[in-house]
Amino acid sequence: MTQLADLQSRYASADFLSFTEVAPDFITLKITTPFSTATVALQGAHVMTWQPKGQKPVIWLSKAAKFAPGKSIRGGVPLCWPWFGAHATEAAYPGHGFARTIPWTLLDARKLPDGRVRLEFEPAMNDTARAQWPHATSARNSITIGQELVIGLSTRNDGKAPFQLGQALHTYFEIGDIRQTSIAGLEGCAYIDKVAGGKLKKQKGAVSFAGETDRVYLGTTGCTGIIDPVLKRTILITSTGSRSTVVWNPGAEKATKMGDFGRQGENKMVCVETANAADDVITLAPGETHRMTAQYRVIKHG
Ligand code: TA6
């Protein structure tokens, strides 16, 4: 029995869930709730889309995104785990870790009494992942779909020695126009400006965008808002287990070089990432679990 047939059989009674093989060995889940719809790729337990009823999509997915085993998807909510950015010592290891390019196993899918849907996944660690991450580790990604989207990434140290964990929910948000978009909630925070060679700066007022923007904000409080006057909404981001927030827009030149943003896709997205990055990397003791969550909610203007 194929994996697709097995999933369809196991969840045949789940009227809120369907499975599609969008490309060879690349299965996605379609979730329908009374409040919103979503699609999730098994690879990386990767939320690809989320759209509340009566709203434009909140999570951005590139029209040029590629769906193939081992290839990261441009858009959605890539899981950067178990390190963020370049590996600390091995330049050949994949940027942002391997979580987003390995298969994850669907452990559970259920409709909650209030109509929301909750999915639970764990990573199917392969030889490459174990070679790059030689620590006994358990991980879970929990996705709750309703009027809000809530993602919870948990990591447990099952070994006998502590290890350092870096991670991010690398979420791409859909906006009307990057030049008219601003981000509130980071005022006064220090940030590492990766476009300025990693220089440490301090945020004055709301974050605005005039070209490539790539910043790691430090000591963040877990509440930010993407203010979008074009789509007449604010996307509220509430995080726990995270004291760093990454803000990224590639700008036109870098987006073109990346090749999977689609035509001027960079004007319609911004990444605001709930993270444990830079000096917010977590040291996990044996037996300890760290959970990082993000909740996304839309407030309509006017
Ligand atoms: O989170 C921002 C960032 O680290 C940028 O520096 C840029 O590299 C972006 O992630 C995209 O990375 P990816 O590996 O998904 O192309």
Side-chain angles (χ1 to χ4, degrees):
M1 181 185 280
T2 65
Q3 184 185 22
L4 178 64
D6 174 54
L7 286 164
Q8 288 169 332
S9 160
R10 280 172 49 205
Y11 293 95
S13 62
D15 61 357
F16 55 88
L17 181 60
S18 63
F19 298 88
T20 308
E21 192 159 25
V22 296
D25 298 325
F26 201 93
I27 292 174
T28 61
L29 293 69
K30 170 93 187 248
I31 299 93
T32 305
T33 81
F35 317 100
S36 62
T37 57
T39 51
V40 179
L42 269 186
Q43 175 178 281
H46 189 132
V47 174
M48 293 165 56
T49 67
W50 175 59
Q51 183 169 11
K53 282 193 172 159
Q55 276 288 349
K56 295 266 284 180
V58 176
I59 300 295
W60 178 84
L61 182 66
S62 170
K63 291 181 173 53
K66 297 175 178 64
F67 305 117
K71 166 88 184 102
S72 60
I73 302 166
R74 183 65 64 195
V77 185
L79 300 180
C80 302
W81 185 92
W83 62 83
F84 177 80
H87 187 276
T89 57
E90 300 291 339
Y93 287 5
H96 292 331
F98 48 76
R100 60 181 173 167
T101 52
I102 62 171
W104 286 56
T105 303
L106 179 62
L107 297 176
D108 186 50
R110 66 182 59 213
K111 191 188 292 185
L112 302 177
D114 62 6
R116 291 179 301 158
V117 168
R118 178 161 298 153
L119 308 174
E120 286 279 338
F121 297 87
E122 70 174 0
M125 299 285 272
N126 56 28
D127 292 345
T128 305
R130 277 188 285 271
Q132 294 177 358
W133 185 252
H135 308 289
T137 307
S138 304
R140 289 282 188 284
N141 192 36
S142 161
I143 302 166
T144 306
I145 298 147
Q147 194 61 44
E148 296 90 18
L149 174 65
V150 184
I151 299 175
L153 183 56
S154 296
T155 305
R156 188 181 66 213
N157 181 345
D158 297 329
K160 296 186 175 11
F163 59 64
Q164 290 232 311
L165 171 69
Q167 57 185 353
L169 302 176
H170 195 298
T171 307
Y172 290 72
F173 293 95
E174 183 157 328
I175 50 167
D177 177 358
I178 189 65
R179 291 176 299 269
Q180 301 182 58
T181 297
S182 60
I183 296 174
L186 298 170
E187 296 82 353
C189 290
Y191 67 89
I192 298 166
D193 186 343
K194 291 165 67 175
V195 173
K199 192 174 173 188
L200 196 62
K201 299 181 179 177
K202 185 171 182 177
Q203 183 59 39
K204 295 181 182 65
V207 182
S208 58
F209 299 86
E212 182 184 358
T213 306
D214 192 352
R215 304 174 181 179
V216 181
Y217 285 86
L218 307 171
T220 54
T221 60
C223 188
T224 49
I226 303 171
I227 301 166
D228 182 346
V230 175
L231 298 185
K232 295 184 174 57
R233 68 185 185 187
T234 294
I235 298 171
L236 278 184
I237 301 165
T238 309
S239 306
T240 65
S242 156
R243 297 279 292 161
S244 45
T245 300
V246 180
V247 174
W248 181 59
N249 180 281
E253 187 181 342
K254 184 157 277 186
T256 302
K257 278 184 190 154
M258 287 180 151
D260 54 0
F261 268 82
R263 189 174 169 284
Q264 297 190 336
E266 69 281 0
N267 292 337
K268 298 288 186 184
M269 56 66 65
V270 64
C271 284
V272 181
E273 305 166 32
T274 297
N276 295 128
D279 61 5
D280 181 34
V281 165
I282 303 291
T283 299
L284 216 48
E288 192 181 3
T289 296
H290 180 77
R291 181 168 169 77
M292 179 175 74
T293 73
Q295 179 200 67
Y296 308 132
R297 185 158 63 93
V298 174
I299 308 287
K300 290 183 181 177
H301 293 175

